[in-house]
Amino acid sequence: MEFDLYWLLLAAPVVFLLGWVASRLDLRQLKREDQASPQAYFKGLNLLLNEQQDKAIDAFIEAVQHDPGTTDLHFALGNLFRRRGEYERAIRIHQHLLSRGDLKREERERAQHALAHDFMKAGLFDRAEEAFKALEGTAFSTDARLALLSLYERSRNWHPAIEVARQLEATGTGSFSQRSAHHWCEVAQEADARGRADEADQALARAREAAPQAARPLVLQGQRLVRQGKHAEALQVWDELMFKQPQAFALIAMDYARSARACDAVPTALNKLQSVYAQAPTMDVLNAIGELQPDATDRREAIMRHLRQQPSLSAAQSLIRERLVSHVPLEEPEVEVLQKALTSAAKPLQRYRCAACGFESQHYFWQCPGCQNWDTYPPRRLEDQ
């Protein structure tokens, strides 16, 4: 018994010494690994700040190889691939992260969010929709709904867009009433194109319910009534537009004048047009007034007043046209040449310009084709601004 205790006491220091040496070796190895990974990581960041993306990607790949368990490196690399348009590589990285069983819940949600944006950028809308829906109830749910709303608008899938907008508004993200009104207007136009008048009526009613002050539902409703030959009812709808949105009324001012002539309501319509012109003087409204104004002298005086206030080429063109009709003391060939020149010069100014991205068009858009934003087109042509 004494012999066994003697050897036990002798072996204890040896075991302790061996354990201490092994721990020191493990610490040195761990330090070397920790030093290698941050060096490659900071090298990648430095290259990225210097806008050397190719070299930055190589540095991040090296860092990932040194420490494959670091999720931040994977996210940085995936975002770089997405920014460069290498969506397949970004998708593979984020899918690899999601396949790991040791990933924390927060990091898994982050990887799912990044993967959804990869699909969106790659144009894989079906897969992007599924990926964004998988984020419901997570910290990324609001961002996912906003992305889904944009996705549905781009794919012209209006009913899901309406539902997502309702959810966003219900969660206090902001007001989406104007946007929802545009969605319902798109539904109405599609229903009209398919000959489903009842569906179009219901959609326009929902649009007006969503945003009572919105201009587009009133514009579309009046235009639908005109196509049905109900000019008096169209005037009533557009009278509401005239009251609520006098700036946007210019979009249908000439239609208003023609409907007034069609239902023998010229004097009343002329007074209303003149009232709108006093609030928002544009050539569209002035031309509508000229359509109903029987006296040529009054028409010329109105154009002259507009020219003094807003010397636009369109007004000059209208004046020349009036003088031609009134047989002014100018030779007709000279006036015709001048009118053609003015018409050519006026075309670049007879456009609408998006206030968000600057996209210009002779046609008015409720949703800008350039930046996809709603209501960014002021309802005034460039020459009236």
Side-chain angles (χ1 to χ4, degrees):
M1 187 67 179
E2 294 179 358
F3 179 80
D4 292 340
L5 288 174
Y6 172 78
W7 283 106
L8 183 61
L9 292 173
L10 184 63
V14 176
V15 172
F16 175 78
L17 180 62
L18 291 175
W20 181 83
V21 171
S23 66
R24 296 301 297 173
L25 290 175
D26 289 340
L27 286 173
R28 288 178 183 177
Q29 183 179 357
L30 183 60
K31 286 182 179 179
R32 285 197 299 270
E33 291 177 355
D34 288 344
Q35 288 174 356
S37 178
Q39 284 179 358
Y41 180 72
F42 289 124
K43 178 183 178 184
L45 284 179
N46 185 50
L47 291 168
L48 188 59
L49 291 173
N50 290 324
E51 298 184 357
Q52 300 181 46
Q53 292 189 7
D54 291 334
K55 294 182 179 179
I57 287 175
D58 293 337
F60 282 127
I61 291 175
E62 179 185 351
V64 169
Q65 290 173 347
H66 281 301
D67 190 2
T70 305
T71 56
D72 286 335
L73 295 177
H74 287 78
F75 283 122
L77 191 56
N79 290 336
L80 268 178
F81 282 139
R82 189 196 306 147
R83 287 176 57 185
R84 285 175 53 84
E86 300 182 44
Y87 304 124
E88 292 184 5
R89 301 180 74 179
I91 289 171
R92 285 201 299 270
I93 285 178
H94 295 132
Q95 284 179 333
H96 169 70
L97 280 172
L98 286 173
S99 67
R100 286 173 47 179
D102 62 337
L103 206 62
K104 296 179 180 178
R105 182 177 61 85
E106 294 80 4
E107 292 179 337
R108 184 172 298 278
E109 293 172 359
R110 182 182 173 191
Q112 180 71 28
H113 180 253
L115 181 62
H117 280 288
D118 293 339
F119 288 143
M120 187 78 163
K121 288 290 186 179
L124 304 173
F125 293 155
D126 291 342
R127 300 180 70 179
E129 180 182 2
E130 294 177 3
F132 280 124
K133 284 182 176 179
L135 291 166
E136 186 67 31
T138 70
F140 298 96
S141 59
T142 298
D143 182 81
R145 284 173 181 164
L146 289 170
L148 276 172
L149 182 59
S150 176
L151 187 153
Y152 289 140
E153 289 178 347
R154 290 175 64 179
S155 58
R156 305 188 66 79
N157 201 357
W158 302 116
H159 285 288
I162 291 167
E163 176 59 23
V164 172
R166 185 196 63 79
Q167 293 174 359
L168 284 167
E169 193 159 314
T171 56
T173 306
S175 175
F176 290 82
S177 58
Q178 286 284 125
R179 208 158 171 174
S180 295
H182 283 298
H183 298 159
W184 282 115
C185 287
E186 294 287 346
V187 171
Q189 288 186 309
E190 290 181 357
D192 264 335
R194 294 192 299 268
R196 299 176 180 175
D198 291 341
E199 289 184 16
D201 288 334
Q202 292 174 4
L204 282 180
R206 297 294 296 272
R208 295 190 61 180
E209 181 183 346
Q213 297 297 320
R216 190 182 183 187
L218 295 171
V219 169
L220 292 183
Q221 187 175 356
Q223 290 172 340
R224 294 184 72 250
L225 290 169
V226 168
R227 288 195 296 269
Q228 297 168 15
K230 301 177 181 178
H231 294 281
E233 294 181 29
L235 291 180
Q236 291 178 357
V237 172
W238 285 336
D239 282 343
E240 187 177 349
L241 175 65
M242 186 186 299
F243 172 74
K244 290 182 175 180
Q245 298 285 348
Q247 295 281 348
F249 180 82
L251 298 171
I252 48 87
M254 187 59 72
D255 294 333
Y256 186 89
R258 290 167 182 161
S259 289
R261 192 177 292 281
C263 64
D264 296 326
V266 171
T268 303
L270 182 58
N271 289 334
K272 291 181 178 179
L273 285 171
Q274 289 171 339
S275 175
V276 171
Y277 179 80
Q279 298 178 60
T282 66
M283 277 305 303
D284 288 317
V285 177
L286 188 59
N287 287 334
I289 291 173
E291 182 76 12
L292 301 181
Q293 180 62 262
D295 187 76
T297 302
D298 291 341
R299 291 198 298 267
R300 289 199 301 271
E301 290 178 355
I303 295 172
M304 286 300 296
R305 286 194 298 270
H306 187 89
L307 273 172
R308 292 190 186 99
Q309 296 173 2
Q310 300 182 27
S312 65
L313 292 174
S314 294
Q317 181 186 1
S318 296
L319 181 61
I320 292 173
R321 185 171 60 249
E322 285 296 329
R323 289 180 179 251
L324 278 173
V325 173
S326 303
H327 304 291
V328 294
L330 286 175
E331 295 183 5
E332 190 170 341
E334 294 176 343
V335 175
E336 290 176 352
V337 171
L338 181 58
Q339 186 178 14
K340 289 180 180 179
L342 286 172
T343 301
S344 177
K347 280 184 179 180
L349 297 175
Q350 294 172 338
R351 293 174 175 267
Y352 299 98
R353 177 185 291 165
C354 174
C357 70
F359 187 94
E360 294 183 6
S361 173
Q362 290 184 338
H363 177 72
Y364 184 87
F365 290 102
W366 298 99
Q367 183 186 23
C368 177
C371 61
Q372 303 295 316
N373 286 320
W374 295 98
D375 288 331
T376 54
Y377 271 77
R380 296 169 67 89
R381 300 181 191 272
L382 294 179
E383 62 184 2
D384 291 324
Q385 295 179 11

